[in-house]
Amino acid sequence: MNAESGFHIKPVYGPGDVPPSAGGDQPGEFPYTRGVYPTMYTQRPWTMRQYAGFGTAAESNARYHQLLKAGTMGLSVAFDLPTQMGFDSDEPIAHGEVGKVGVAIDSIDDMRQLFEGIPLDRVSTSMTINAPGSVLLLLYQLVAEEQGVPGSALQGTIQNDILKEYIARGTYIFPPKPSLRLVADTFAYCRAEIPKWNTISISGYHMAEAGATPAQEIAFTLANGIEYVRAAIAAGLAVDDFAPRLSFFFVARTTLLEEIAKFRAARRMWARIMRDDFGAKDPKSMMLRFHTQTAGVQLTAQQPEVNLIRVAIQALGAVAGGTQSLHTNSYDEAIALPTEKSARLALRTQQVLAYESGLTGTVDPFAGSYAVEAMTDAVEREATALIGRVFEYGSAVDAIEQGFQKGEIEQSAYRIANEIDSGERVVVGVNRFTSDADEKYEPLRVDPAIESAQAARLARLRAERDDPAVQSALADLAKAAAGSTNVLPLMKRALQLRATVGEVCHTLRGVWGVHRPVERF
């Protein structure tokens, strides 16, 4: 059989399939194939970070308190589509989408409510937000300051990975060049103001969800990582000043052995790229630290309880592959937003792996396996060749503008769809082992009144705030965006005066324009 990445999987592997040194690397040592830390989970498990956010800030806040009570170790915020696109909830373009796929955040008032009763110096927070990522991070910092928590005490991650939006997801605002400038400004700002914050989570997850193979996932993700490093260096930052805060985000599929190999190969490749191509000296600059989420695209609406088994296998691959944090999908996510019960079961899956399986007793338990070591080398070969093809265009951005990565992913997605349709690729409960009647399921529903409630909150905010001061702060932001000054301090000032997310993003649109993709035929 062939692996997802295209190489042949042998029925039996042996000593001749791996070099004599295979599995001989030590965890916590270059090139970090076996893990970025010497002890990995033997002293403490990975961070169990459950992704949640829906409806209003108050509703999401209640879910966060439920998750923390259930034992989650970090929060992960899902934002609704208008927030992700830099629009306020009362704009016509936001109609019908407010609070649907995540929480609606329009201003500091909403962010304050989102984290009410949660001490931000005691929790690590990840925010899945890209084009307006710096805006949401600044709102988070402002709320922390209101709690008396300095930026130096904050820990977490913003996704802030705009390049993959052009490839696979589509929630971009600005063209690539000013978007990369905003990323570099965020790196510099956080180094001075929020030094423990992971300033970017360079993401392969969404490319995988769009159809990328494991090799494509890590190849295109690392190529984007190279582009971000180049942009930061071009902005005058020294590589070891920002690279230790880079992080990554990958998927975990049900193809267990190939996924473990993928994670091991990605660590090894990034370490060599940072040392050999960028001259990094700090070991932390060479460590590929990553968050993993189980594969949403593999969840099925048919026989949804079977997703519990899929998620457990995917989570096992992430843990055996050395993830630093993990989100396990709820079994009902192919149908609707997770219920409280299904979200709790997803967390319990991680807790069973951490405390009952014995996986945390030793580091990289698959090291030395003929199959896994051979697959690690094979994934690395495939991904390295793909990175070479990306840079034949000149840069990752040049390849994006020519549609290379998107085209490659679409071909893979088409192949997978054909294999499922033909029955060559088995999906339990869908094209084999089907059931005539599934049990009735009652999904979590979002109240459509949320949109009007958010609009009313915005109206009150605009009536109460010092509007001339807000407009002056936005004008100062526009001047900074037109020049070379770091825009984040000016954004923070405007947000503190209760400018909205949409107003800040519209100000930047007025200076930088918007991205309009070129279609390939």
Side-chain angles (χ1 to χ4, degrees), residues 46-53 63-64 67-68 70-78 124 126 291-294 311 325-330 333 338 342-351:
W46 59 93
T47 298
M48 300 176 196
R49 190 188 298 282
Q50 290 304 105
Y51 186 48
R63 175 63 61 87
Y64 295 156
L67 287 168
L68 290 167
T72 193
M73 300 150 74
L75 298 175
S76 187
V77 183
S124 170
S126 172
H291 171 70
T292 308
Q293 182 172 337
T294 56
V311 169
S325 60
L326 176 61
H327 164 87
T328 35
N329 288 329
S330 300
E333 287 191 45
S342 67
R344 186 170 60 248
L345 281 170
L347 176 59
R348 295 289 183 253
T349 303
Q350 295 200 50
Q351 291 166 335

mmCIF file of all heavy atoms in Angstrom, residues 46-53 63-64 67-68 70-78 124 126 291-294 311 325-330 333 338 342-351:
data_model
loop_
_atom_site.group_PDB
_atom_site.id
_atom_site.type_symbol
_atom_site.label_atom_id
_atom_site.label_comp_id
_atom_site.label_asym_id
_atom_site.label_seq_id
_atom_site.Cartn_x
_atom_site.Cartn_y
_atom_site.Cartn_z
ATOM 1 N N TRP A 46 1.626 16.955 28.099
ATOM 2 C CA TRP A 46 1.385 18.057 27.183
ATOM 3 C C TRP A 46 0.273 18.955 27.712
ATOM 4 O O TRP A 46 -0.494 18.571 28.596
ATOM 5 C CB TRP A 46 0.997 17.499 25.810
ATOM 6 C CG TRP A 46 -0.240 16.644 25.865
ATOM 7 C CD1 TRP A 46 -1.527 17.035 25.650
ATOM 8 C CD2 TRP A 46 -0.312 15.258 26.230
ATOM 9 N NE1 TRP A 46 -2.396 15.991 25.845
ATOM 10 C CE2 TRP A 46 -1.672 14.886 26.195
ATOM 11 C CE3 TRP A 46 0.634 14.280 26.558
ATOM 12 C CZ2 TRP A 46 -2.113 13.592 26.486
ATOM 13 C CZ3 TRP A 46 0.197 12.992 26.845
ATOM 14 C CH2 TRP A 46 -1.156 12.658 26.809
ATOM 15 N N THR A 47 0.159 20.158 27.158
ATOM 16 C CA THR A 47 -0.927 21.058 27.541
ATOM 17 C C THR A 47 -2.211 20.618 26.845
ATOM 18 O O THR A 47 -2.234 20.477 25.617
ATOM 19 C CB THR A 47 -0.597 22.506 27.148
ATOM 20 O OG1 THR A 47 0.585 22.923 27.852
ATOM 21 C CG2 THR A 47 -1.741 23.450 27.516
ATOM 22 N N MET A 48 -3.233 20.369 27.625
ATOM 23 C CA MET A 48 -4.537 19.973 27.079
ATOM 24 C C MET A 48 -5.344 21.244 26.860
ATOM 25 O O MET A 48 -5.820 21.868 27.794
ATOM 26 C CB MET A 48 -5.241 19.028 28.052
ATOM 27 C CG MET A 48 -4.439 17.757 28.304
ATOM 28 S SD MET A 48 -5.190 16.684 29.536
ATOM 29 C CE MET A 48 -3.775 15.610 29.899
ATOM 30 N N ARG A 49 -5.460 21.605 25.592
ATOM 31 C CA ARG A 49 -6.018 22.907 25.239
ATOM 32 C C ARG A 49 -7.249 22.689 24.374
ATOM 33 O O ARG A 49 -7.138 22.304 23.215
ATOM 34 C CB ARG A 49 -4.963 23.718 24.485
ATOM 35 C CG ARG A 49 -5.329 25.161 24.260
ATOM 36 C CD ARG A 49 -4.326 25.845 23.342
ATOM 37 N NE ARG A 49 -2.987 25.883 23.854
ATOM 38 C CZ ARG A 49 -2.540 26.716 24.784
ATOM 39 N NH1 ARG A 49 -3.386 27.576 25.337
ATOM 40 N NH2 ARG A 49 -1.294 26.703 25.183
ATOM 41 N N GLN A 50 -8.444 22.912 24.929
ATOM 42 C CA GLN A 50 -9.672 22.670 24.182
ATOM 43 C C GLN A 50 -10.168 23.946 23.505
ATOM 44 O O GLN A 50 -10.344 24.979 24.150
ATOM 45 C CB GLN A 50 -10.744 22.081 25.092
ATOM 46 C CG GLN A 50 -10.468 20.642 25.530
ATOM 47 C CD GLN A 50 -10.268 19.684 24.367
ATOM 48 O OE1 GLN A 50 -9.142 19.282 24.078
ATOM 49 N NE2 GLN A 50 -11.341 19.320 23.696
ATOM 50 N N TYR A 51 -10.387 23.849 22.214
ATOM 51 C CA TYR A 51 -10.813 24.955 21.356
ATOM 52 C C TYR A 51 -12.299 25.213 21.574
ATOM 53 O O TYR A 51 -13.119 24.301 21.452
ATOM 54 C CB TYR A 51 -10.550 24.524 19.917
ATOM 55 C CG TYR A 51 -10.767 25.537 18.829
ATOM 56 C CD1 TYR A 51 -10.260 26.827 18.912
ATOM 57 C CD2 TYR A 51 -11.444 25.166 17.663
ATOM 58 C CE1 TYR A 51 -10.429 27.726 17.871
ATOM 59 C CE2 TYR A 51 -11.616 26.056 16.623
ATOM 60 C CZ TYR A 51 -11.107 27.335 16.726
ATOM 61 O OH TYR A 51 -11.275 28.214 15.692
ATOM 62 N N ALA A 52 -12.660 26.433 21.919
ATOM 63 C CA ALA A 52 -14.068 26.724 22.186
ATOM 64 C C ALA A 52 -14.341 28.204 21.964
ATOM 65 O O ALA A 52 -13.480 29.062 22.158
ATOM 66 C CB ALA A 52 -14.440 26.332 23.619
ATOM 67 N N GLY A 53 -15.571 28.470 21.586
ATOM 68 C CA GLY A 53 -16.027 29.838 21.384
ATOM 69 C C GLY A 53 -17.271 29.809 20.522
ATOM 70 O O GLY A 53 -17.273 29.190 19.457
ATOM 71 N N ARG A 63 -18.542 28.512 28.974
ATOM 72 C CA ARG A 63 -17.922 27.276 28.504
ATOM 73 C C ARG A 63 -16.471 27.173 28.991
ATOM 74 O O ARG A 63 -16.017 26.095 29.377
ATOM 75 C CB ARG A 63 -17.995 27.202 26.973
ATOM 76 C CG ARG A 63 -17.284 26.003 26.346
ATOM 77 C CD ARG A 63 -17.866 24.653 26.760
ATOM 78 N NE ARG A 63 -19.248 24.465 26.377
ATOM 79 C CZ ARG A 63 -19.636 23.977 25.193
ATOM 80 N NH1 ARG A 63 -18.763 23.659 24.274
ATOM 81 N NH2 ARG A 63 -20.934 23.829 24.941
ATOM 82 N N TYR A 64 -15.733 28.291 28.999
ATOM 83 C CA TYR A 64 -14.345 28.259 29.475
ATOM 84 C C TYR A 64 -14.281 27.854 30.945
ATOM 85 O O TYR A 64 -13.427 27.061 31.345
ATOM 86 C CB TYR A 64 -13.672 29.627 29.292
ATOM 87 C CG TYR A 64 -13.516 30.053 27.852
ATOM 88 C CD1 TYR A 64 -13.412 31.391 27.510
ATOM 89 C CD2 TYR A 64 -13.492 29.119 26.816
ATOM 90 C CE1 TYR A 64 -13.291 31.795 26.196
ATOM 91 C CE2 TYR A 64 -13.369 29.510 25.502
ATOM 92 C CZ TYR A 64 -13.269 30.848 25.197
ATOM 93 O OH TYR A 64 -13.148 31.248 23.890
ATOM 94 N N LEU A 67 -14.752 24.141 31.119
ATOM 95 C CA LEU A 67 -13.567 23.406 30.692
ATOM 96 C C LEU A 67 -12.471 23.453 31.755
ATOM 97 O O LEU A 67 -11.799 22.454 32.031
ATOM 98 C CB LEU A 67 -13.045 23.968 29.365
ATOM 99 C CG LEU A 67 -13.880 23.639 28.129
ATOM 100 C CD1 LEU A 67 -13.429 24.478 26.941
ATOM 101 C CD2 LEU A 67 -13.787 22.152 27.802
ATOM 102 N N LEU A 68 -12.278 24.622 32.361
ATOM 103 C CA LEU A 68 -11.267 24.740 33.418
ATOM 104 C C LEU A 68 -11.631 23.872 34.616
ATOM 105 O O LEU A 68 -10.766 23.221 35.215
ATOM 106 C CB LEU A 68 -11.107 26.209 33.829
ATOM 107 C CG LEU A 68 -10.448 27.124 32.786
ATOM 108 C CD1 LEU A 68 -10.627 28.586 33.167
ATOM 109 C CD2 LEU A 68 -8.964 26.792 32.631
ATOM 110 N N ALA A 70 -13.254 21.145 34.425
ATOM 111 C CA ALA A 70 -13.082 19.752 34.009
ATOM 112 C C ALA A 70 -11.619 19.342 33.903
ATOM 113 O O ALA A 70 -11.331 18.166 33.686
ATOM 114 C CB ALA A 70 -13.778 19.516 32.672
ATOM 115 N N GLY A 71 -10.700 20.318 34.043
ATOM 116 C CA GLY A 71 -9.279 19.974 34.068
ATOM 117 C C GLY A 71 -8.473 20.395 32.871
ATOM 118 O O GLY A 71 -7.303 20.018 32.752
ATOM 119 N N THR A 72 -9.058 21.179 31.957
ATOM 120 C CA THR A 72 -8.253 21.655 30.836
ATOM 121 C C THR A 72 -7.154 22.568 31.357
ATOM 122 O O THR A 72 -7.313 23.261 32.359
ATOM 123 C CB THR A 72 -9.116 22.384 29.789
ATOM 124 O OG1 THR A 72 -8.359 22.556 28.601
ATOM 125 C CG2 THR A 72 -9.569 23.746 30.274
ATOM 126 N N MET A 73 -6.007 22.557 30.659
ATOM 127 C CA MET A 73 -4.828 23.281 31.147
ATOM 128 C C MET A 73 -4.582 24.577 30.379
ATOM 129 O O MET A 73 -3.693 25.342 30.709
ATOM 130 C CB MET A 73 -3.609 22.367 31.031
ATOM 131 C CG MET A 73 -3.765 21.094 31.862
ATOM 132 S SD MET A 73 -2.882 19.691 31.160
ATOM 133 C CE MET A 73 -1.203 20.108 31.554
ATOM 134 N N GLY A 74 -5.351 24.783 29.306
ATOM 135 C CA GLY A 74 -5.197 25.996 28.516
ATOM 136 C C GLY A 74 -6.456 26.248 27.722
ATOM 137 O O GLY A 74 -7.190 25.319 27.380
ATOM 138 N N LEU A 75 -6.707 27.516 27.425
ATOM 139 C CA LEU A 75 -7.892 27.879 26.654
ATOM 140 C C LEU A 75 -7.497 28.132 25.202
ATOM 141 O O LEU A 75 -6.393 28.573 24.908
ATOM 142 C CB LEU A 75 -8.537 29.126 27.245
ATOM 143 C CG LEU A 75 -9.036 28.998 28.678
ATOM 144 C CD1 LEU A 75 -9.553 30.337 29.182
ATOM 145 C CD2 LEU A 75 -10.129 27.930 28.782
ATOM 146 N N SER A 76 -8.417 27.857 24.302
ATOM 147 C CA SER A 76 -8.208 28.110 22.881
ATOM 148 C C SER A 76 -9.466 28.752 22.341
ATOM 149 O O SER A 76 -10.538 28.160 22.388
ATOM 150 C CB SER A 76 -7.893 26.802 22.143
ATOM 151 O OG SER A 76 -7.541 27.063 20.801
ATOM 152 N N VAL A 77 -9.338 29.984 21.842
ATOM 153 C CA VAL A 77 -10.500 30.792 21.495
ATOM 154 C C VAL A 77 -10.816 30.668 20.008
ATOM 155 O O VAL A 77 -9.956 30.905 19.150
ATOM 156 C CB VAL A 77 -10.273 32.273 21.845
ATOM 157 C CG1 VAL A 77 -11.525 33.089 21.543
ATOM 158 C CG2 VAL A 77 -9.875 32.427 23.308
ATOM 159 N N ALA A 78 -12.067 30.304 19.707
ATOM 160 C CA ALA A 78 -12.588 30.315 18.344
ATOM 161 C C ALA A 78 -13.390 31.598 18.138
ATOM 162 O O ALA A 78 -14.263 31.921 18.944
ATOM 163 C CB ALA A 78 -13.476 29.093 18.115
ATOM 164 N N SER A 124 -2.899 29.728 30.118
ATOM 165 C CA SER A 124 -2.310 29.935 28.797
ATOM 166 C C SER A 124 -3.445 29.969 27.782
ATOM 167 O O SER A 124 -4.304 29.091 27.774
ATOM 168 C CB SER A 124 -1.338 28.795 28.476
ATOM 169 O OG SER A 124 -0.923 28.844 27.131
ATOM 170 N N SER A 126 -4.679 30.365 23.721
ATOM 171 C CA SER A 126 -4.390 30.365 22.293
ATOM 172 C C SER A 126 -5.565 31.003 21.573
ATOM 173 O O SER A 126 -6.720 30.739 21.903
ATOM 174 C CB SER A 126 -4.186 28.929 21.793
ATOM 175 O OG SER A 126 -4.075 28.897 20.386
ATOM 176 N N HIS A 291 1.557 22.826 18.307
ATOM 177 C CA HIS A 291 0.236 22.437 18.801
ATOM 178 C C HIS A 291 -0.381 21.505 17.776
ATOM 179 O O HIS A 291 -0.124 21.627 16.571
ATOM 180 C CB HIS A 291 -0.643 23.677 18.978
ATOM 181 C CG HIS A 291 -2.078 23.376 19.285
ATOM 182 N ND1 HIS A 291 -2.486 22.847 20.491
ATOM 183 C CD2 HIS A 291 -3.212 23.533 18.550
ATOM 184 C CE1 HIS A 291 -3.795 22.694 20.491
ATOM 185 N NE2 HIS A 291 -4.267 23.096 19.323
ATOM 186 N N THR A 292 -1.183 20.572 18.234
ATOM 187 C CA THR A 292 -1.865 19.648 17.330
ATOM 188 C C THR A 292 -3.353 19.672 17.604
ATOM 189 O O THR A 292 -3.788 19.788 18.752
ATOM 190 C CB THR A 292 -1.346 18.210 17.527
ATOM 191 O OG1 THR A 292 0.079 18.207 17.442
ATOM 192 C CG2 THR A 292 -1.905 17.285 16.464
ATOM 193 N N GLN A 293 -4.121 19.563 16.533
ATOM 194 C CA GLN A 293 -5.566 19.358 16.649
ATOM 195 C C GLN A 293 -5.924 18.125 15.834
ATOM 196 O O GLN A 293 -5.391 17.905 14.747
ATOM 197 C CB GLN A 293 -6.346 20.565 16.126
ATOM 198 C CG GLN A 293 -7.862 20.413 16.267
ATOM 199 C CD GLN A 293 -8.608 21.690 15.937
ATOM 200 O OE1 GLN A 293 -8.056 22.786 16.004
ATOM 201 N NE2 GLN A 293 -9.873 21.569 15.580
ATOM 202 N N THR A 294 -6.785 17.318 16.368
ATOM 203 C CA THR A 294 -7.213 16.128 15.639
ATOM 204 C C THR A 294 -7.989 16.543 14.384
ATOM 205 O O THR A 294 -8.512 17.645 14.304
ATOM 206 C CB THR A 294 -8.053 15.212 16.540
ATOM 207 O OG1 THR A 294 -9.156 15.960 17.070
ATOM 208 C CG2 THR A 294 -7.209 14.665 17.675
ATOM 209 N N VAL A 311 -10.886 10.051 17.013
ATOM 210 C CA VAL A 311 -10.182 11.097 17.761
ATOM 211 C C VAL A 311 -9.161 10.492 18.712
ATOM 212 O O VAL A 311 -8.047 11.022 18.874
ATOM 213 C CB VAL A 311 -11.198 11.990 18.513
ATOM 214 C CG1 VAL A 311 -10.490 12.907 19.509
ATOM 215 C CG2 VAL A 311 -12.012 12.808 17.523
ATOM 216 N N SER A 325 1.140 20.722 22.765
ATOM 217 C CA SER A 325 -0.220 20.909 23.255
ATOM 218 C C SER A 325 -1.169 20.249 22.268
ATOM 219 O O SER A 325 -0.815 20.002 21.109
ATOM 220 C CB SER A 325 -0.561 22.400 23.430
ATOM 221 O OG SER A 325 -0.463 23.098 22.204
ATOM 222 N N LEU A 326 -2.384 19.964 22.736
ATOM 223 C CA LEU A 326 -3.298 19.167 21.928
ATOM 224 C C LEU A 326 -4.738 19.590 22.168
ATOM 225 O O LEU A 326 -5.150 19.808 23.309
ATOM 226 C CB LEU A 326 -3.129 17.684 22.284
ATOM 227 C CG LEU A 326 -4.060 16.663 21.615
ATOM 228 C CD1 LEU A 326 -3.892 16.672 20.103
ATOM 229 C CD2 LEU A 326 -3.804 15.271 22.191
ATOM 230 N N HIS A 327 -5.482 19.711 21.068
ATOM 231 C CA HIS A 327 -6.936 19.833 21.123
ATOM 232 C C HIS A 327 -7.528 18.582 20.503
ATOM 233 O O HIS A 327 -7.174 18.208 19.377
ATOM 234 C CB HIS A 327 -7.427 21.059 20.345
ATOM 235 C CG HIS A 327 -8.901 21.024 20.055
ATOM 236 N ND1 HIS A 327 -9.840 21.501 20.947
ATOM 237 C CD2 HIS A 327 -9.603 20.534 19.012
ATOM 238 C CE1 HIS A 327 -11.048 21.316 20.444
ATOM 239 N NE2 HIS A 327 -10.932 20.733 19.267
ATOM 240 N N THR A 328 -8.417 17.928 21.218
ATOM 241 C CA THR A 328 -9.140 16.785 20.683
ATOM 242 C C THR A 328 -10.542 17.231 20.288
ATOM 243 O O THR A 328 -11.280 17.806 21.097
ATOM 244 C CB THR A 328 -9.213 15.645 21.714
ATOM 245 O OG1 THR A 328 -9.322 16.201 23.036
ATOM 246 C CG2 THR A 328 -7.978 14.777 21.647
ATOM 247 N N ASN A 329 -10.915 16.958 19.032
ATOM 248 C CA ASN A 329 -12.239 17.355 18.558
ATOM 249 C C ASN A 329 -13.331 16.573 19.271
ATOM 250 O O ASN A 329 -13.140 15.412 19.651
ATOM 251 C CB ASN A 329 -12.353 17.117 17.050
ATOM 252 C CG ASN A 329 -11.530 18.106 16.246
ATOM 253 O OD1 ASN A 329 -11.348 19.246 16.661
ATOM 254 N ND2 ASN A 329 -11.031 17.675 15.106
ATOM 255 N N SER A 330 -14.471 17.192 19.386
ATOM 256 C CA SER A 330 -15.637 16.517 19.932
ATOM 257 C C SER A 330 -16.284 15.656 18.844
ATOM 258 O O SER A 330 -16.223 15.981 17.659
ATOM 259 C CB SER A 330 -16.641 17.542 20.449
ATOM 260 O OG SER A 330 -16.047 18.336 21.466
ATOM 261 N N GLU A 333 -18.739 17.287 16.056
ATOM 262 C CA GLU A 333 -18.390 18.516 15.350
ATOM 263 C C GLU A 333 -18.677 18.468 13.856
ATOM 264 O O GLU A 333 -18.670 19.516 13.198
ATOM 265 C CB GLU A 333 -16.924 18.874 15.610
ATOM 266 C CG GLU A 333 -16.700 19.396 17.013
ATOM 267 C CD GLU A 333 -15.328 20.014 17.230
ATOM 268 O OE1 GLU A 333 -14.888 20.795 16.367
ATOM 269 O OE2 GLU A 333 -14.700 19.710 18.249
ATOM 270 N N PRO A 338 -19.923 21.746 19.415
ATOM 271 C CA PRO A 338 -19.960 20.707 20.454
ATOM 272 C C PRO A 338 -20.888 21.073 21.612
ATOM 273 O O PRO A 338 -20.971 22.235 22.022
ATOM 274 C CB PRO A 338 -18.508 20.633 20.930
ATOM 275 C CG PRO A 338 -17.700 21.277 19.868
ATOM 276 C CD PRO A 338 -18.572 22.295 19.221
ATOM 277 N N SER A 342 -20.146 16.551 24.945
ATOM 278 C CA SER A 342 -19.183 16.072 23.952
ATOM 279 C C SER A 342 -17.822 16.753 24.129
ATOM 280 O O SER A 342 -16.780 16.126 23.931
ATOM 281 C CB SER A 342 -19.713 16.293 22.535
ATOM 282 O OG SER A 342 -19.814 17.663 22.223
ATOM 283 N N ALA A 343 -17.822 18.025 24.516
ATOM 284 C CA ALA A 343 -16.558 18.714 24.781
ATOM 285 C C ALA A 343 -15.835 18.088 25.976
ATOM 286 O O ALA A 343 -14.612 17.953 25.973
ATOM 287 C CB ALA A 343 -16.818 20.199 25.033
ATOM 288 N N ARG A 344 -16.599 17.694 26.985
ATOM 289 C CA ARG A 344 -15.996 17.044 28.150
ATOM 290 C C ARG A 344 -15.410 15.676 27.771
ATOM 291 O O ARG A 344 -14.324 15.307 28.214
ATOM 292 C CB ARG A 344 -17.034 16.903 29.260
ATOM 293 C CG ARG A 344 -16.446 16.351 30.574
ATOM 294 C CD ARG A 344 -17.455 16.445 31.716
ATOM 295 N NE ARG A 344 -18.674 15.704 31.441
ATOM 296 C CZ ARG A 344 -19.859 16.256 31.241
ATOM 297 N NH1 ARG A 344 -20.002 17.570 31.280
ATOM 298 N NH2 ARG A 344 -20.926 15.507 31.010
ATOM 299 N N LEU A 345 -16.124 14.916 26.939
ATOM 300 C CA LEU A 345 -15.608 13.624 26.493
ATOM 301 C C LEU A 345 -14.314 13.779 25.698
ATOM 302 O O LEU A 345 -13.387 12.962 25.807
ATOM 303 C CB LEU A 345 -16.656 12.909 25.641
ATOM 304 C CG LEU A 345 -17.788 12.201 26.385
ATOM 305 C CD1 LEU A 345 -18.864 11.761 25.399
ATOM 306 C CD2 LEU A 345 -17.253 11.000 27.160
ATOM 307 N N ALA A 346 -14.229 14.835 24.892
ATOM 308 C CA ALA A 346 -13.007 15.085 24.126
ATOM 309 C C ALA A 346 -11.820 15.338 25.056
ATOM 310 O O ALA A 346 -10.718 14.821 24.840
ATOM 311 C CB ALA A 346 -13.211 16.277 23.194
ATOM 312 N N LEU A 347 -12.049 16.106 26.103
ATOM 313 C CA LEU A 347 -10.995 16.349 27.084
ATOM 314 C C LEU A 347 -10.640 15.062 27.826
ATOM 315 O O LEU A 347 -9.455 14.766 28.065
ATOM 316 C CB LEU A 347 -11.448 17.425 28.071
ATOM 317 C CG LEU A 347 -10.485 17.736 29.221
ATOM 318 C CD1 LEU A 347 -9.133 18.211 28.708
ATOM 319 C CD2 LEU A 347 -11.111 18.776 30.159
ATOM 320 N N ARG A 348 -11.649 14.273 28.181
ATOM 321 C CA ARG A 348 -11.383 13.021 28.892
ATOM 322 C C ARG A 348 -10.519 12.070 28.045
ATOM 323 O O ARG A 348 -9.743 11.283 28.586
ATOM 324 C CB ARG A 348 -12.703 12.343 29.254
ATOM 325 C CG ARG A 348 -13.557 13.124 30.258
ATOM 326 C CD ARG A 348 -12.956 13.113 31.655
ATOM 327 N NE ARG A 348 -13.844 13.800 32.597
ATOM 328 C CZ ARG A 348 -13.597 15.000 33.116
ATOM 329 N NH1 ARG A 348 -12.488 15.649 32.791
ATOM 330 N NH2 ARG A 348 -14.458 15.546 33.959
ATOM 331 N N THR A 349 -10.655 12.140 26.725
ATOM 332 C CA THR A 349 -9.807 11.317 25.851
ATOM 333 C C THR A 349 -8.334 11.615 26.109
ATOM 334 O O THR A 349 -7.506 10.702 26.225
ATOM 335 C CB THR A 349 -10.152 11.590 24.375
ATOM 336 O OG1 THR A 349 -11.535 11.334 24.156
ATOM 337 C CG2 THR A 349 -9.320 10.720 23.441
ATOM 338 N N GLN A 350 -7.992 12.887 26.180
ATOM 339 C CA GLN A 350 -6.603 13.271 26.471
ATOM 340 C C GLN A 350 -6.183 12.814 27.868
ATOM 341 O O GLN A 350 -5.048 12.343 28.066
ATOM 342 C CB GLN A 350 -6.450 14.784 26.370
ATOM 343 C CG GLN A 350 -6.660 15.345 24.977
ATOM 344 C CD GLN A 350 -6.043 16.716 24.843
ATOM 345 O OE1 GLN A 350 -4.876 16.929 25.195
ATOM 346 N NE2 GLN A 350 -6.810 17.668 24.341
ATOM 347 N N GLN A 351 -7.081 12.971 28.814
ATOM 348 C CA GLN A 351 -6.727 12.628 30.193
ATOM 349 C C GLN A 351 -6.483 11.131 30.349
ATOM 350 O O GLN A 351 -5.592 10.715 31.096
ATOM 351 C CB GLN A 351 -7.828 13.128 31.138
ATOM 352 C CG GLN A 351 -7.854 14.651 31.220
ATOM 353 C CD GLN A 351 -9.112 15.209 31.859
ATOM 354 O OE1 GLN A 351 -10.166 14.570 31.843
ATOM 355 N NE2 GLN A 351 -9.023 16.419 32.401
#
